[in-house]
Amino acid sequence: MRKARISSRREPTIALINIVFLMLVFFMVAGTLSQPLDKELSLVRTADLDGRSPPDTLVVHPDGRMSFRGEDIASAEDFLARRSEEEREVVRVVPDQALPAQTLVNLARDLRGAGAQRVLIVTQRGLE
């Protein structure tokens, strides 16, 4: 009878650890890392504000028309021309829910180009 040889070869645990680590990284990247928005959340509608928009906010209607404190504004440059240097640092915008996203992006770019330091979008959550 022969004695069974005991294999001195180690199991390749490093390869297994590498595979598990790569799977972890893959699922972290592919999965959702942030909390999804509440399904019942809907963006603010300027029609629901009843003329009571937050003070010092630029209201943008669904057709792209802008107003500030009830007065129509022709452009982002006109809006910033009415504000002091200190008020230009942070510009708050209340968009209508039906406003196209591209229109809102263009408005934010125009505001930044006209001298606004920061452009904040005010939503229903921010108004409550």
Side-chain angles (χ1 to χ4, degrees):
M1 290 194 117
R2 289 184 176 173
K3 244 183 173 178
R5 271 192 195 174
I6 299 176
S7 175
S8 63
R9 189 172 169 213
R10 296 177 127 181
E11 293 292 323
T13 56
I14 298 296
L16 181 63
I17 291 171
N18 287 342
I19 291 171
V20 171
F21 179 76
L22 288 173
M23 288 175 55
L24 174 68
V25 171
F26 172 78
F27 286 113
M28 284 177 55
V29 171
T32 304
L33 295 178
S34 64
Q35 292 289 339
L37 290 177
D38 187 8
K39 292 179 182 178
E40 298 175 6
L41 178 69
S42 63
L43 298 177
V44 68
R45 294 186 62 87
T46 57
D48 297 338
L49 292 176
D50 297 327
R52 294 177 291 137
S53 61
D56 298 329
T57 59
L58 178 64
V59 178
V60 186
H61 302 273
D63 57 358
R65 182 175 49 90
M66 297 180 286
S67 63
F68 178 68
R69 295 182 180 168
E71 296 179 21
D72 284 343
I73 302 294
S75 66
E77 292 81 15
D78 292 342
F79 173 70
L80 289 177
R82 297 179 181 195
R83 301 177 60 91
S84 69
E85 191 67 34
E86 184 178 295
E87 293 173 326
R88 290 181 186 196
E89 288 182 17
V90 178
V91 175
R92 289 177 174 78
V93 177
V94 177
D96 190 278
Q97 180 179 6
L99 182 72
Q102 188 60 47
T103 305
L104 184 59
V105 169
N106 291 340
L107 174 63
R109 184 180 52 231
D110 293 345
L111 286 168
R112 292 291 308 264
Q117 300 298 318
R118 290 179 60 199
V119 177
L120 302 177
I121 307 299
V122 180
T123 62
Q124 190 169 357
R125 268 188 169 171
L127 294 175
E128 292 178 353

